[in-house]
Amino acid sequence: MTHYGKVLVATALFALTACQSATKSSSTADVSHDPETDQCGASQYQNLIGQPLTSLDNKRFDVPVRAIPWNGAVTMDFNLRRLNFMADQSGKISKVYCG
């Protein structure tokens, strides 16, 4: 294997390792009820998981809200005070988080 091949393999392994650790940290942050990471109050709305995304139409919120349909395009700005409801393919809420 050439020098470039070894570098390419090493880079790929580092990239996969970084992806795996990022996934673990984001999933643990969602479960936490730490006031610093739950500034939007997402922990109060975990009971809506499994409900249709349209069930949010008649609700009022004290913080900005974003309802994200399956494969919906959203901006990449991060706002800890914004409440996000993410839907799965069937249109049901699959995740509630701040960001």
Side-chain angles (χ1 to χ4, degrees):
M1 187 181 276
T2 66
H3 176 69
Y4 294 111
K6 291 177 184 176
V7 170
L8 184 61
V9 170
T11 304
L13 288 174
F14 286 126
L16 289 174
T17 304
C19 290
Q20 184 179 18
S21 63
T23 303
K24 286 180 183 177
S25 65
S26 67
S27 64
T28 55
D30 294 338
V31 177
S32 140
H33 299 296
D34 180 21
E36 288 223 5
T37 58
D38 192 28
Q39 291 182 16
C40 70
S43 60
Q44 301 173 46
Y45 299 103
Q46 296 301 314
N47 61 329
L48 294 175
I49 293 178
Q51 300 291 322
L53 194 59
T54 56
S55 67
L56 301 175
D57 293 345
N58 298 326
K59 296 196 183 307
R60 291 187 169 250
F61 299 94
D62 295 333
V63 295
V65 174
R66 182 163 60 176
I68 308 167
W70 172 254
N71 276 345
V74 294
T75 59
M76 294 299 292
D77 62 321
F78 186 74
N79 180 356
L80 270 177
R81 297 189 196 286
R82 181 175 47 214
L83 184 59
N84 294 291
F85 293 92
M86 184 178 289
D88 59 13
Q89 288 178 320
S90 63
K92 295 187 181 191
I93 299 170
S94 61
K95 186 175 180 182
V96 180
Y97 63 98
C98 300

